Amino acid sequence: MRIISGKFKGRRIFPPKNLPVRPTTDMSKEALFNVLNNHFSFENLKVLDLFAGTGNISFEFASRGSDNITAVDGDFGCIKFIKQVAEEYDFNIAAIKSDVFKFLEKNKSNYDIIFADPPYALEQKKFENIVNLIVDQKLLNEEGMMIIEHSKYTKLDHMNHFSFKKTYGGSIFSFFEFKKIAPFLN
Protein backbone atom coordinates (compact mmCIF):
# COMPACT_ATOMS: atom_id res chain seq x y z
CA MET A 1 0.00 0.00 0.00
CA ARG A 2 1.41 3.39 -0.93
CA ILE A 3 0.48 7.02 -0.61
CA ILE A 4 -0.24 8.36 -4.10
CA SER A 5 0.22 12.12 -3.66
CA GLY A 6 0.86 14.96 -1.25
CA LYS A 7 3.50 15.46 1.40
CA PHE A 8 4.24 11.73 1.71
CA LYS A 9 3.88 10.84 -2.00
CA GLY A 10 5.35 7.45 -2.83
CA ARG A 11 5.70 6.37 0.81
CA ARG A 12 4.90 2.70 1.31
CA ILE A 13 2.94 1.60 4.36
CA PHE A 14 2.95 -2.03 5.40
CA PRO A 15 -0.11 -3.12 7.40
CA PRO A 16 0.03 -6.34 9.42
CA LYS A 17 -0.96 -9.39 7.41
CA ASN A 18 -3.56 -10.53 9.96
CA LEU A 19 -5.99 -7.60 9.53
CA PRO A 20 -9.44 -8.61 8.21
CA VAL A 21 -9.36 -6.16 5.29
CA ARG A 22 -9.53 -5.74 1.53
CA PRO A 23 -7.68 -2.46 0.96
CA THR A 24 -8.65 -0.24 -1.96
CA THR A 25 -6.07 -0.89 -4.66
CA ASP A 26 -3.56 1.84 -5.48
CA MET A 27 -4.98 2.09 -9.02
CA SER A 28 -8.55 2.53 -7.77
CA LYS A 29 -7.44 4.96 -5.06
CA GLU A 30 -5.55 7.08 -7.59
CA ALA A 31 -8.60 7.21 -9.87
CA LEU A 32 -10.88 8.09 -6.93
CA PHE A 33 -8.64 10.95 -5.85
CA ASN A 34 -8.43 12.25 -9.42
CA VAL A 35 -12.23 12.63 -9.33
CA LEU A 36 -12.15 14.25 -5.87
CA ASN A 37 -9.35 16.58 -6.94
CA ASN A 38 -11.74 18.11 -9.50
CA HIS A 39 -14.25 18.95 -6.76
CA PHE A 40 -12.25 19.81 -3.66
CA SER A 41 -9.19 21.49 -2.28
CA PHE A 42 -8.07 18.98 0.33
CA GLU A 43 -6.90 21.48 2.94
CA ASN A 44 -9.49 22.14 5.64
CA LEU A 45 -11.72 19.24 4.57
CA LYS A 46 -13.51 17.37 7.31
CA VAL A 47 -13.40 13.69 6.30
CA LEU A 48 -15.16 10.60 7.64
CA ASP A 49 -13.67 7.23 6.62
CA LEU A 50 -16.08 4.37 7.41
CA PHE A 51 -14.96 0.74 7.50
CA ALA A 52 -11.49 2.31 7.47
CA GLY A 53 -9.57 -0.98 7.57
CA THR A 54 -5.87 -0.22 7.09
CA GLY A 55 -6.51 3.54 7.00
CA ASN A 56 -5.43 3.63 3.35
CA ILE A 57 -7.96 6.32 2.37
CA SER A 58 -7.46 8.35 5.57
CA PHE A 59 -3.68 8.41 5.03
CA GLU A 60 -4.16 9.64 1.45
CA PHE A 61 -6.39 12.50 2.61
CA ALA A 62 -3.90 13.39 5.36
CA SER A 63 -0.94 13.38 2.96
CA ARG A 64 -2.87 15.76 0.68
CA GLY A 65 -3.42 18.26 3.50
CA SER A 66 -6.72 17.28 5.13
CA ASP A 67 -6.26 17.76 8.85
CA ASN A 68 -9.60 16.74 10.31
CA ILE A 69 -10.13 13.04 9.61
CA THR A 70 -12.18 10.49 11.51
CA ALA A 71 -11.56 6.82 10.73
CA VAL A 72 -14.09 4.30 12.04
CA ASP A 73 -13.70 0.53 12.05
CA GLY A 74 -14.97 -2.30 14.23
CA ASP A 75 -11.66 -4.17 14.36
CA PHE A 76 -9.26 -3.37 17.20
CA GLY A 77 -6.20 -4.33 15.12
CA CYS A 78 -7.19 -1.94 12.34
CA ILE A 79 -7.69 0.95 14.78
CA LYS A 80 -4.39 0.22 16.49
CA PHE A 81 -2.57 0.24 13.13
CA ILE A 82 -4.23 3.51 12.01
CA LYS A 83 -3.24 5.16 15.31
CA GLN A 84 0.38 3.95 14.95
CA VAL A 85 0.73 5.29 11.40
CA ALA A 86 -1.04 8.55 12.25
CA GLU A 87 1.39 9.11 15.11
CA GLU A 88 4.42 8.18 13.01
CA TYR A 89 3.48 10.62 10.20
CA ASP A 90 1.90 13.25 12.46
CA PHE A 91 -1.49 12.87 10.74
CA ASN A 92 -4.52 14.34 12.50
CA ILE A 93 -6.67 11.21 12.32
CA ALA A 94 -9.09 10.28 15.09
CA ALA A 95 -9.31 6.48 14.91
CA ILE A 96 -12.48 5.17 16.54
CA LYS A 97 -13.28 1.52 17.23
CA SER A 98 -17.00 1.19 16.71
CA ASP A 99 -19.64 -0.63 14.77
CA VAL A 100 -20.13 1.73 11.82
CA PHE A 101 -23.92 1.60 11.95
CA LYS A 102 -24.01 2.45 15.66
CA PHE A 103 -21.50 5.25 15.07
CA LEU A 104 -23.69 6.74 12.31
CA GLU A 105 -26.82 6.56 14.48
CA LYS A 106 -25.17 8.47 17.34
CA ASN A 107 -22.87 10.87 15.48
CA LYS A 108 -23.85 14.55 15.30
CA SER A 109 -20.92 15.93 13.29
CA ASN A 110 -21.00 17.06 9.66
CA TYR A 111 -18.43 16.18 7.03
CA ASP A 112 -17.29 17.46 3.65
CA ILE A 113 -16.42 13.97 2.42
CA ILE A 114 -17.69 10.65 3.70
CA PHE A 115 -16.04 7.55 2.30
CA ALA A 116 -17.34 4.06 3.08
CA ASP A 117 -15.68 0.81 2.05
CA PRO A 118 -17.82 -1.92 3.65
CA PRO A 119 -17.08 -5.60 3.09
CA TYR A 120 -18.26 -6.44 -0.42
CA ALA A 121 -20.21 -9.41 1.00
CA LEU A 122 -22.42 -7.07 3.06
CA GLU A 123 -26.04 -7.50 2.03
CA GLN A 124 -27.67 -4.92 -0.26
CA LYS A 125 -29.94 -3.57 2.50
CA LYS A 126 -26.93 -2.77 4.69
CA PHE A 127 -25.33 -0.75 1.87
CA GLU A 128 -28.62 1.13 1.46
CA ASN A 129 -28.77 1.63 5.23
CA ILE A 130 -25.38 3.41 5.13
CA VAL A 131 -26.77 5.91 2.63
CA ASN A 132 -30.03 6.34 4.54
CA LEU A 133 -28.34 6.87 7.91
CA ILE A 134 -25.99 9.51 6.52
CA VAL A 135 -28.88 11.33 4.81
CA ASP A 136 -31.27 11.02 7.78
CA GLN A 137 -28.64 12.15 10.29
CA LYS A 138 -27.63 15.02 7.97
CA LEU A 139 -23.95 14.09 8.30
CA LEU A 140 -22.92 15.36 4.87
CA ASN A 141 -22.42 19.09 4.30
CA GLU A 142 -24.44 20.62 1.46
CA GLU A 143 -21.44 20.95 -0.87
CA GLY A 144 -20.06 17.62 0.32
CA MET A 145 -19.75 14.23 -1.30
CA MET A 146 -20.30 10.69 -0.08
CA ILE A 147 -18.54 7.81 -1.81
CA ILE A 148 -19.32 4.15 -1.27
CA GLU A 149 -16.99 1.48 -2.64
CA HIS A 150 -18.71 -1.77 -3.60
CA SER A 151 -18.72 -4.68 -6.04
CA LYS A 152 -20.74 -4.94 -9.25
CA TYR A 153 -23.30 -7.05 -7.37
CA THR A 154 -24.40 -4.10 -5.23
CA LYS A 155 -26.63 -1.48 -6.88
CA LEU A 156 -26.94 1.99 -5.36
CA ASP A 157 -27.91 4.18 -8.32
CA HIS A 158 -31.59 4.04 -7.29
CA MET A 159 -30.87 5.74 -3.96
CA ASN A 160 -31.73 9.38 -3.19
CA HIS A 161 -28.88 11.82 -3.85
CA PHE A 162 -27.04 9.35 -6.11
CA SER A 163 -24.97 11.42 -8.52
CA PHE A 164 -22.70 9.14 -10.58
CA LYS A 165 -20.52 6.04 -10.40
CA LYS A 166 -17.09 5.06 -11.63
CA THR A 167 -15.84 1.52 -12.19
CA TYR A 168 -12.20 0.51 -11.68
CA GLY A 169 -11.46 -3.18 -12.14
CA GLY A 170 -13.70 -5.11 -9.75
CA SER A 171 -14.53 -2.01 -7.68
CA ILE A 172 -17.30 0.51 -8.17
CA PHE A 173 -17.38 3.90 -6.49
CA SER A 174 -20.90 5.32 -6.14
CA PHE A 175 -20.96 9.07 -5.53
CA PHE A 176 -23.73 10.90 -3.69
CA GLU A 177 -24.28 14.66 -3.40
CA PHE A 178 -26.96 16.83 -1.88
CA LYS A 179 -26.25 19.51 -4.44
CA LYS A 180 -25.05 18.47 -7.87
CA ILE A 181 -21.68 20.11 -8.44
CA ALA A 182 -20.66 18.69 -11.80
CA PRO A 183 -23.53 17.04 -13.69
CA PHE A 184 -21.21 16.51 -16.69
CA LEU A 185 -19.62 13.59 -14.79
CA ASN A 186 -22.72 11.42 -15.18
Side-chain angles (χ1 to χ4, degrees):
M1 172 172 97
R2 72 181 170 90
I3 295 177
I4 306 294
S5 188
K7 183 177 179 181
F8 295 98
K9 178 181 180 176
R11 190 74 51 99
R12 293 207 171 272
I13 298 173
F14 300 96
K17 300 254 187 259
N18 62 344
L19 296 181
V21 296
R22 175 205 30 81
T24 302
T25 66
D26 288 346
M27 182 188 82
S28 295
K29 182 172 64 169
E30 186 168 9
L32 167 66
F33 276 86
N34 284 340
V35 171
L36 294 175
N37 200 41
N38 290 320
H39 292 276
F40 299 98
S41 171
F42 292 102
E43 296 81 26
N44 303 317
L45 282 182
K46 190 172 180 185
V47 177
L48 177 60
D49 184 5
L50 300 171
F51 303 94
T54 61
N56 190 7
I57 298 297
S58 292
F59 303 148
E60 189 68 35
F61 274 110
S63 179
R64 292 171 185 243
S66 299
D67 63 356
N68 190 342
I69 302 164
T70 302
V72 180
D73 199 278
D75 184 80
F76 176 77
C78 290
I79 294 303
K80 181 179 175 189
F81 178 70
I82 292 169
K83 286 179 177 181
Q84 287 171 345
V85 173
E87 187 175 324
E88 179 181 339
Y89 290 93
D90 197 29
F91 290 153
N92 186 21
I93 299 173
I96 299 171
K97 184 193 175 303
S98 176
D99 174 86
V100 167
F101 296 97
K102 289 179 183 171
F103 175 84
L104 291 174
E105 288 170 2
K106 294 178 181 178
N107 187 28
K108 301 297 179 209
S109 295
N110 300 89
Y111 302 91
D112 300 304
I113 295 179
I114 299 174
F115 179 82
D117 184 10
Y120 282 9
L122 205 64
E123 61 186 78
Q124 173 78 29
K125 285 186 184 258
K126 294 269 189 179
F127 275 93
E128 293 173 3
N129 196 26
I130 294 166
V131 175
N132 291 332
L133 280 168
I134 290 168
V135 170
D136 292 348
Q137 297 291 97
K138 297 178 174 59
L139 302 180
L140 189 64
N141 290 332
E142 185 177 320
E143 298 290 331
M145 187 176 282
M146 171 175 47
I147 306 101
I148 299 181
E149 183 176 348
H150 57 90
S151 75
K152 65 182 179 182
Y153 300 107
T154 300
K155 308 292 183 211
L156 297 175
D157 46 356
H158 66 283
M159 302 291 298
N160 285 335
H161 304 289
F162 175 83
S163 186
F164 62 96
K165 67 182 175 185
K166 298 282 188 178
T167 303
Y168 305 102
S171 297
I172 296 174
F173 294 108
S174 288
F175 294 80
F176 296 82
E177 301 172 86
F178 286 132
K179 181 177 179 183
K180 293 221 184 234
I181 298 171
F184 60 88
L185 289 175
N186 287 329

